[in-house]
Structures are given as structure tokens and as C-alpha cells.
Amino acid sequence: MESTRASRNAASWRLGTAATAALLLATCESPPSLLEQIKTTGELRVVTRNSPTTFYIGRDAVLGPEYDLARGFAARLGVDLRIYTADQFWQILPDVMTGRAHLAAAGLTVTPPRLDLVEFGPVYQRVEAQVIYKLGTGRPRTLRDLLGGRLEVVSGSSHAGLLERVRYREPLLTWIESPAADVEELVAKVASGEIDYTIVDSNEFAVTQHFYPEARVAFPLGPAGSLAWALPLGEDTSLREQVSAYFAELTASGELDRLLNRYYYYAGDFDYVGSRAFVRHFDARLPRYREYFMEAEETTGIDWRLLAAMGYQESHWNPDAVSPTGVRGIMMLTETTAAMVGVADRVDPRLSILGGAQYFTRVLRKIPERIAEPDRTWLALAAYNIGFGHLEDARILTEIAGKNPDDWEDVREHLPLLSQKKWYQRTRRGYARGWEPVYYVDNVRRYYDMLEWMTAGDSMDPIILEPVQELASR
């Protein structure tokens, strides 16, 4: 049982408290340990935050390194995980201190002020606080270079405390602490020129920097920091001992490194342009699979070149492609998607292509028919990448802004807002990597245009046709 609703967690907290009180009255013995309370209620309560390095809802699953770690720990204890997100960053530690949450798994940096409030578990990742600036505005190299600029950080974050500790070096240094902003929003504001600087942990910037190419690292601020789970202070060490044992096992087995790599491989390995590589693969790889893409067109009515463009964006037409997150094959299908469209072998090129085409037709059917082409196709591609629910959230935000939710360019402008707290907290499904479908659609369109040009004269069919039949189970 898992839930991101704080209200449900509050109810669970009250039930857990009642169960603990009943246990005390029944036994008249010493109070049960925190670990015993968790096992009695059968539930581990964890507070986190919405971000790509902690917890978010993906296309067909809940994702995030902190979520995966918390889920594994709950399984180790033999209890259910109830995870929820704090409304504001500064609320995370108070939830642990009051017992509303048993622990916080939220990408928290261990700092001296925080050690007065909570205990921390083992360090599982080292990060560096980095000053971020906009390319072309002059790279600052010291704190003095920040004077006179607009510097904004998240209120209650370790970066605000770090600035307080280093201000003795530059007493005139000033900054704004924003209680409603999150890291991605501040990076976006730097990239757009709305603010001059922000401070971001190196792991978070590694995930976002490719999508905000104008944002660059100026210099590190202070020594490297440590990320760890926050736990209640006190003499009761039962839960802390279990957390320590859990991380020791993950480290020894190498599973901790593998888990983190699932989420951080993307930052350095994602290839968006590669025009020369595309031409090379067009000659060397596509001829092997072209007949399967054309078969998929016959089955679904979707232009084979569009499907091929999707396949290139997904895997560079590599049937053996596999990502650290477990998606496989030319169309990089998840296990859930493969099962949905009846694909038993995701690395079989033909089945992967036919399955990916069938899944895309399912997504396309969800897009209202009133929407004209090619906008309907571009919206479907975005939904194929991020999930239909998140696309609907972006369309609602587009309409709220007075723009056209049926126009791809208007929706494209608002999709990245799903990664900014002040916007995604208004949506039904919360945080999403909203810049990802923007780049996905842009690249598929680019490859599609290239394929149309490189196959000119092969077919006089329209750009895209309405799907006409289901893929039979194979």
C-alpha cells in the first residue's frame, strides 16, 4: 500500500499512535521501540519531496532513487511503505521530529544545524553545492563576483545555511530565500535570465543541465556534502540500526551504485543531435528493420517513417539496447507496456517495432479527434513519452494561461512547468520531467523530417493516417 497524500498519512499516524497506546496498556511494560511500533502497525511512513532525484510519477510507475531505496527498506522490514511529499521543503525535518514520519528520504544534506534536530543514517551519496549562472553573462569565479546580482535559493535548504556560513568572506553578499520554489524552477529562472544565480547540488544539476543548456556551473561553494536519511533524535536506536544495516548491505552488494546509476546515467549519456551518426545508421542499420516498420504501418496506419523516427530516438535502431531502468529493444518498451500489447520478447526487432506502434496507436486514440493534424500526432508523441495523464495536466496549465490546449506549440511551452513546484502542485498527478517530452518530440520530428527527405519518392502517402486495427497477440 502506497500513497502520496499527506492527509492519508496523518490518519495512518493517528491509527499508529492508537495502536501503540493500546499495546502499552495491554503489556504495562516498557514502551515498545520505534521499530516495534512500525512492525505492529505494519507500515513505514516516509516523507520525501517531488524531484527527479527523489520521488516522482513516471509514465507507468512511481520512480525516483529515494522511492526505490525506501521501498526496498520497507520490504526488508516486512511492512508496507506509505510515502508522501511535504508541501514545502522546510516541513520535512519537523515531520520527522514530531513523529508524523518515521524517517525522511528526501535528498537531504547532512549539516551541523540539522544535526541538532535529527539523526542521520549512513551517507549514500556525496554531492557538491554549485553556483549556477547563465552562459554569456560572464562567469563568476568568487563570491565577490556575485555582489550586485540576484541570487535566489530554496528556503530551508542547505544552500541557505551555507550562504550564512560563508558570508563572513563577503559581508555585502545578499540573496533571496524562496519558500515556494524548487531547484528545477530556479535553474530555469537562471537559464531565462529572470535571476542571475542560484545554488544547486551537483547530482540535481547533472540531471537538469542538458535541458537548460544556458545554465552552467560557475564554481563550487564550500566542501563536498553528504546525503543521508533523517531519523528521530533520541536513545531509541532500533530504527537507525536497521537503516545502517540496510545501507551496508546495499553498498557491499553493489546494488546502491546500480540503483543510483539508473537515474543518473541519463545526464551524461543522452544523445539528442548526432546528425552524422543518424546518416551512418540510416545506411547501416535501418535497412535491416525497414520492412518491420513498413509492416507496422500496414497494421496501424501510422507512417512507417514516423515510427522509425521514434525507434531511432529510443534506441538508435539497436535491437539489443537496454537502459539501467530496464526498458529494452528498438522501441525501448517497459515490461508493463510489452505485456499490454502482447510482446513476449522485447529484444525481438519485429515484435518490438510492432508493439511500439500498437502502443502509440492506443495513446493516439486518447487524444481528442477534434484536434487537427499534425498537432494531434505531436501531442500523442508527448503522451507516449511522459504518459497521457501528465500531458493532460500540461494541457490544463496551458488553458489556465489563456493559451490553446489543442495546439502543440502552446502545450510545448507549458510542459516544462510540470517540473516546477508552484505549477505541478496545482495538477492532479504532480511532478513530471516536463522538459523530457519537449525534447523527445523535437527530436522525433527532426528525425522524421530527415527520413522524409532521405526517402523522397518512396511513397506518396499522407504524413500520418488514423490507426485502423489492433495488433494481434503473438
Side-chain angles (χ1 to χ4, degrees), residues 28 32 69 81 130 201 257 305 340 423 442 445:
C28 294
L69 287 170
L81 172 65
Q130 298 173 328
D201 282 340
D257 287 339
R305 291 164 295 189
M340 182 188 306
W423 295 107
D442 285 353
R445 291 178 65 178

Side-chain angles (χ1 to χ4, degrees), residues 16 19-20 23 32-43 79:
T20 301
L23 182 63
S33 68
L34 182 55
L35 181 62
E36 290 171 337
Q37 294 175 41
I38 291 169
K39 292 190 173 182
T40 297
T41 60
E43 180 178 275
V79 299

Side-chain angles (χ1 to χ4, degrees), residues 146-355:
L146 306 184
L147 299 182
R150 182 182 173 93
L151 170 62
E152 189 170 343
V153 297
V154 176
S155 178
S157 67
S158 60
H159 306 137
L162 179 58
L163 286 170
E164 290 287 358
R165 293 196 296 275
V166 302
R167 184 154 59 176
Y168 72 92
R169 289 154 47 187
E170 290 296 337
L172 298 180
L173 181 66
T174 60
W175 61 90
I176 297 169
E177 297 184 25
S178 174
D182 57 20
V183 168
E184 283 197 44
E185 181 179 350
L186 294 182
V187 172
K189 289 171 75 173
V190 170
S192 68
E194 186 175 345
I195 61 175
D196 298 303
Y197 314 111
T198 189
I199 301 175
V200 180
D201 282 340
S202 53
N203 64 322
E204 294 187 283
F205 191 66
V207 174
T208 59
Q209 64 178 338
H210 193 79
F211 304 96
Y212 300 101
E214 299 86 358
R216 299 297 178 91
V217 176
F219 59 89
L221 187 65
S226 303
L227 302 186
W229 284 359
L231 300 141
L233 279 173
E235 297 180 358
D236 183 351
T237 63
S238 58
L239 183 60
R240 293 201 299 274
E241 289 169 359
Q242 289 295 317
V243 169
S244 295
Y246 173 60
F247 277 98
E249 292 167 3
L250 290 180
T251 302
S253 66
E255 181 59 27
L256 180 60
D257 287 339
R258 287 191 290 271
L259 185 151
L260 293 175
N261 188 53
R262 290 182 204 135
Y263 294 96
Y264 294 108
Y265 86 97
Y266 181 93
D269 297 340
F270 211 75
D271 177 18
Y272 284 103
V273 186
S275 296
R276 284 184 295 180
F278 179 86
V279 174
R280 185 170 65 252
H281 292 150
F282 177 87
D283 293 328
R285 294 183 180 179
L286 183 58
R288 306 175 206 167
Y289 313 117
R290 179 167 172 160
E291 64 177 297
Y292 302 147
F293 285 114
M294 297 183 78
E295 180 184 354
E297 179 182 24
E298 293 175 2
T299 303
T300 64
I302 306 298
D303 189 330
W304 75 267
R305 291 164 295 189
L306 177 65
L307 297 173
M310 294 168 63
Y312 188 79
Q313 172 64 20
E314 295 285 356
S315 69
H316 286 193
W317 300 322
N318 177 7
D320 299 318
V322 57
S323 83
T325 58
V327 294
R328 301 177 68 91
I330 284 182
M331 302 302 281
M332 296 298 271
L333 303 178
T334 66
E335 290 184 359
T336 301
T337 299
M340 182 188 306
V341 295
V343 173
D345 184 358
R346 290 182 290 162
V347 298
D348 181 296
R350 178 173 176 271
L351 293 182
S352 179
I353 291 168
L354 294 176

Side-chain angles (χ1 to χ4, degrees), residues 2-78:
E2 297 169 356
S3 172
T4 60
R5 293 184 178 273
S7 59
R8 292 183 183 177
N9 180 77
S12 174
W13 175 42
R14 291 191 292 271
L15 288 173
T17 303
T20 301
L23 182 63
L24 280 170
L25 291 173
T27 61
C28 294
E29 297 176 356
S30 59
S33 68
L34 182 55
L35 181 62
E36 290 171 337
Q37 294 175 41
I38 291 169
K39 292 190 173 182
T40 297
T41 60
E43 180 178 275
L44 176 70
R45 299 190 304 272
V46 176
V47 60
T48 187
R49 59 190 174 97
N50 250 159
S51 85
T53 59
T54 52
F55 168 95
Y56 62 96
I57 299 174
R59 184 169 72 183
D60 52 23
V62 179
L63 299 170
E66 292 286 20
Y67 170 74
D68 284 353
L69 287 170
R71 182 179 58 175
F73 183 56
R76 185 181 188 276
L77 297 182

